[in-house]
Amino acid sequence: MTLPEVVTREEWLEARKSLLAEEKEVTRRRDALNAKRRRLPMVRIDKEYLLDGPNGTVPLAALFGESSQLIVKHVMFAPDWDAACSGCTADVDEMTDGLLRHLRSRDTAFALVARAPLDKLRKYQAARGWTVPWYSSCGSDFNYDFRATLDKDRPQLEYNYRSQPEIVAGDETSVEMSGVSCFLREGTEIYHTYSTWARGTDVLGNAYSWLDLTALGRSEDWEEPNGRAPRLHEADPTFTD
C-alpha cells in the first residue's frame, strides 16, 4: 500500500495552506457555476403526466405538495425487474427524513420516480425502510420525455445531452438511466429547469448540494441572481430560520 509522505508539522502546514488556496478557488468557481445554473432558461410543461403514488394516480403537480420546487430522482427500476438498481438503492439508502425536511424548509419537495409498477415499488420501499415518496411512471411518457428511459422505438434516443444510440444494444428494447430532474411551479404552470446524469449526481448528498441544482437555489441573500426566491433565509445550517 502506498501511503502519503511523512513530513514535519511545519512542512505539512505549508502544504495544507497551498492546497487551501486551490480549494477556495474551486469553491468560488462552484458558486459562479451554481449562479449560471440558476440563470438557465426553463421549459413549460404542457403535457399532463399521471403518476401512481401513495394517494393514487395523480398529476405531476401533486408531487410538489405545498412547495414551489420539486426535485425528482430517476430510479432505475424497469417494469420487469424485481429490484431497483444497486447504485440507485445505495443513493436512496443515504436519504433521511431530516434531509427531506431541510429541503421542504426551502420550498422544495423531493420524490423518487421509476417505471416499475407501484406494487413493486411499495414492496421494495418497505423492504429497504425508505420514507421518501415514490411514484410509478408506468404507462406515462414521463421517463421517456426526460431521458430516464432510452427506447429504440422512441424518436429521441439521447443520454446526458448526447446522441448515444449504442446504449440500447443487442436484443434490448430499452435501458433505464439514473439521474435527477428539477421543476419549478409558478401558479398553475410547471416548468422544467434542470436535469443531470452520470457524474453530475455523484456529489449530491446534503441539502445544500440538492438545492444548488434548483432555480431558487438555497434561497439565501448572497446568491445570484438577487431577488428570485420569494423568501430569503439566513445561511442557517439547521434549516430552522
Side-chain angles (χ1 to χ4, degrees), residues 138-234:
C138 189
S140 163
D141 289 336
F142 185 83
N143 267 50
Y144 302 105
D145 289 352
F146 292 98
R147 312 299 195 269
T149 299
L150 305 183
D151 194 301
K152 287 180 177 178
D153 297 329
R154 298 275 173 159
Q156 297 170 316
L157 190 59
E158 181 182 85
Y159 171 63
N160 209 13
Y161 308 104
R162 291 173 291 178
S163 179
Q164 299 184 14
E166 69 276 7
I167 289 178
V168 183
D171 296 331
E172 292 180 314
T173 300
S174 63
V175 172
E176 305 300 308
M177 312 306 297
S178 176
V180 175
S181 292
C182 300
F183 303 89
L184 178 67
R185 180 170 61 181
E186 177 69 15
T188 60
E189 300 288 351
I190 296 176
Y191 302 90
H192 176 218
T193 61
Y194 185 73
S195 287
T196 189
W197 311 89
R199 291 293 302 276
T201 66
D202 66 6
V203 296
L204 299 173
N206 64 24
Y208 282 141
S209 66
W210 288 104
L211 292 170
D212 284 343
L213 301 183
T214 69
L216 301 184
R218 305 180 186 191
S219 298
E220 296 176 359
D221 58 6
W222 61 273
E223 290 180 302
E224 297 287 344
N226 291 325
R228 171 168 293 178
R231 179 194 167 198
L232 293 178
H233 297 264
E234 299 295 329

Side-chain angles (χ1 to χ4, degrees), residues 106 208 220 233-241:
R106 296 302 185 262
Y208 282 141
E220 296 176 359
H233 297 264
E234 299 295 329
D236 176 14
T238 68
F239 291 85
T240 57
D241 69 311

Side-chain angles (χ1 to χ4, degrees), residues 15-223:
R16 179 66 188 94
K17 288 181 176 179
S18 176
L19 180 62
L20 178 61
E22 295 186 48
E23 289 174 339
K24 287 183 176 293
E25 176 58 26
V26 169
T27 298
R28 287 189 288 269
R29 290 172 60 189
R30 184 187 66 199
D31 288 343
L33 182 63
N34 289 339
K36 283 188 175 182
R37 184 183 294 115
R38 290 189 291 273
R39 290 188 175 98
L40 276 175
M42 57 188 184
V43 179
R44 180 183 289 106
I45 305 299
D46 295 321
K47 184 183 293 187
E48 182 178 50
Y49 296 105
L50 297 178
L51 307 172
D52 296 329
N55 299 313
T57 302
V58 297
L60 181 62
L63 277 61
F64 285 78
E66 300 299 320
S67 299
S68 298
Q69 294 193 128
L70 169 66
I71 300 174
V72 167
K73 177 172 177 55
H74 302 286
V75 176
M76 296 168 60
F77 197 158
D80 58 342
W81 296 2
D82 294 322
C85 93
S86 57
C88 295
T89 297
D91 289 343
V92 182
D93 276 344
E94 296 181 352
M95 305 197 71
T96 66
D97 291 341
L99 171 61
L100 300 178
R101 184 173 63 252
H102 293 170
L103 293 177
R104 286 194 299 270
S105 78
R106 296 302 185 262
D107 203 18
T108 303
F110 189 98
L112 310 175
V113 174
R115 241 180 7 112
L118 184 60
D119 59 341
K120 285 191 175 184
L121 303 186
R122 283 176 169 168
K123 181 178 180 181
Y124 196 71
Q125 184 176 33
R128 303 299 303 185
W130 294 345
T131 58
V132 188
W134 203 356
Y135 294 82
S136 170
S137 62
C138 189
S140 163
D141 289 336
F142 185 83
N143 267 50
Y144 302 105
D145 289 352
F146 292 98
R147 312 299 195 269
T149 299
L150 305 183
D151 194 301
K152 287 180 177 178
D153 297 329
R154 298 275 173 159
Q156 297 170 316
L157 190 59
E158 181 182 85
Y159 171 63
N160 209 13
Y161 308 104
R162 291 173 291 178
S163 179
Q164 299 184 14
E166 69 276 7
I167 289 178
V168 183
D171 296 331
E172 292 180 314
T173 300
S174 63
V175 172
E176 305 300 308
M177 312 306 297
S178 176
V180 175
S181 292
C182 300
F183 303 89
L184 178 67
R185 180 170 61 181
E186 177 69 15
T188 60
E189 300 288 351
I190 296 176
Y191 302 90
H192 176 218
T193 61
Y194 185 73
S195 287
T196 189
W197 311 89
R199 291 293 302 276
T201 66
D202 66 6
V203 296
L204 299 173
N206 64 24
Y208 282 141
S209 66
W210 288 104
L211 292 170
D212 284 343
L213 301 183
T214 69
L216 301 184
R218 305 180 186 191
S219 298
E220 296 176 359
D221 58 6
W222 61 273
E223 290 180 302

